[in-house]
Amino acid sequence: MENYAVLGGGTMGCGVAQCLAAAGHAVAVFEPSAAAREAGPRRVRDGVRLARVLRRTDADPDEVLGRIRWTDRWDLLGSPAFVVECVPERLPLKEQVLRAADEHSAPGAVLASCTSAIPIDHLARWIGDPGRMIGTHFMNPAPLKDTVEVACGPRTSPDTLRRATEMLGRLGKEAIVVGDGPGFVSNRVLMLTINEAAAVLAQGTADAATVDAVFERCFGHRMGPLRTADLIGLDTIVDTLAVLLEFTGDPRFRPTPLLAELVSAGRLGEKTGHGFHVSVRGRVPS
């Protein structure tokens, strides 16, 4: 059984660690923030309880937590053979973390990134063997989503793709394999939709509930674009749009002023309880 490490203990990192541990795997989570390490076990426990309520797992929260180690030291990761990087969508941070992961992982380890926008071949420049780099774009919340967008760069090896899809299969998730490019398929399309929905809202064409209702009732989407943005986190939306703007040069990816204003005001979506909508669940821990 491969030794797993997750880099980053935020929303996605905790979700991926929960998926791995619930499937019976031991996993080390690297997180330099003491506050995030302290909050991590609670977030995982809450995630397992929710998955049990929704009948998505029968895993015991204590057993899941018992398979997860939290550390701020690279040398305590245990030379993992499979690494899943889940740090925020900021290029300098991604570079720092992937270079360190390349140094501290086992020879031949798969380095999988949860990036939702950065081309995989760009990330592969920072590791010794570009063939070991692949994108595993988990959807949020990771434990409740059955499908992962797997992005292969032009230098991703067939063995890396095989190991990544087998890993996802052990988690009960389907891999949809796509090619490389800014935003891949999902966020190349979704981020434009969210940005334009925010522009429509700012122009007063419709309020947030009505914008979402058009997509939910007319097109049959389970969740409209503005509520989707709240779920993802408006700070993450802005970061992702910035990456897409940088890599495509397309001005359509420049965040609409309303998005920037909401983020500046600390209205980040469900993680703060207030974004385009007020969360019906109240404040959710960040």
Side-chain angles (χ1 to χ4, degrees):
M1 184 177 293
E2 292 188 305
N3 182 16
Y4 291 94
V6 171
L7 310 181
T11 299
M12 187 55 67
C14 285
V16 172
Q18 177 186 325
C19 291
L20 288 164
H25 302 290
V27 55
V29 178
F30 174 82
E31 173 51 64
S33 166
R37 290 197 308 276
E38 182 179 351
R42 171 179 50 80
R43 298 177 74 166
V44 170
R45 184 180 296 278
D46 289 346
V48 176
R49 287 172 173 168
L50 177 60
R52 287 173 64 92
V53 168
L54 297 176
R55 298 184 179 179
R56 302 300 300 271
T57 186
D58 58 1
D60 178 84
D62 290 331
E63 292 182 0
V64 171
L65 283 170
R67 299 187 185 108
I68 301 176
R69 293 187 296 109
W70 309 82
T71 183
D72 61 348
R73 290 177 51 181
W74 289 103
D75 60 325
L76 294 183
L77 285 184
S79 295
F82 202 112
V83 177
V84 185
E85 173 270 307
C86 300
V87 303
E89 204 79 330
R90 296 165 195 159
L91 285 167
L93 179 59
K94 294 278 193 189
E95 179 176 2
Q96 175 188 354
V97 166
L98 285 173
R99 287 188 185 277
D102 191 28
E103 178 183 353
H104 292 280
S105 56
V110 170
L111 297 181
S113 176
C114 279
T115 181
S116 62
I118 303 170
I120 299 307
D121 206 46
H122 186 88
L123 300 178
R125 301 186 311 170
W126 302 327
I127 67 173
D129 177 5
R132 298 190 290 121
M133 190 79 233
I134 194 167
T136 50
H137 179 203
F138 286 79
M139 306 296 154
N140 183 34
L144 303 183
K145 300 293 185 177
D146 295 329
T147 308
V148 176
E149 184 182 38
V150 174
C152 289
R155 293 181 287 177
T156 301
S157 73
D159 184 61
T160 295
L161 174 60
R162 176 189 61 79
R163 288 170 65 188
T165 54
E166 288 178 355
M167 179 273 289
L168 293 171
R170 290 192 291 271
L171 304 186
K173 298 187 184 299
E174 176 189 4
I176 297 183
V177 181
V178 303
D180 202 11
F184 317 126
V185 173
S186 59
N187 276 354
R188 185 67 179 258
V189 176
L190 177 61
M191 291 298 126
L192 279 178
T193 304
I194 289 173
N195 210 29
E196 287 299 306
V200 166
L201 175 62
Q203 291 165 2
T205 306
D207 61 19
T210 303
V211 170
D212 283 340
V214 169
F215 283 83
E216 293 164 3
R217 300 178 194 172
C218 295
F219 300 137
H221 293 191
R222 292 183 63 184
M223 186 180 293
L226 298 180
R227 199 169 293 283
T228 299
D230 280 351
L231 177 63
I232 294 170
L234 303 193
D235 51 343
T236 301
I237 299 294
V238 169
D239 285 345
T240 304
L241 285 167
V243 168
L244 289 167
L245 178 62
E246 177 175 350
F247 279 98
T248 65
D250 189 334
R252 295 179 300 168
F253 290 109
R254 184 169 289 109
T256 190
L258 177 57
L259 270 169
E261 291 167 11
L262 290 172
V263 171
S264 295
R267 291 173 53 175
L268 307 182
E270 289 200 5
K271 66 178 73 177
T272 61
H274 201 173
F276 290 113
H277 301 273
V278 176
S279 174
V280 296
R281 291 180 291 183
R283 183 176 177 86
V284 178
S286 60

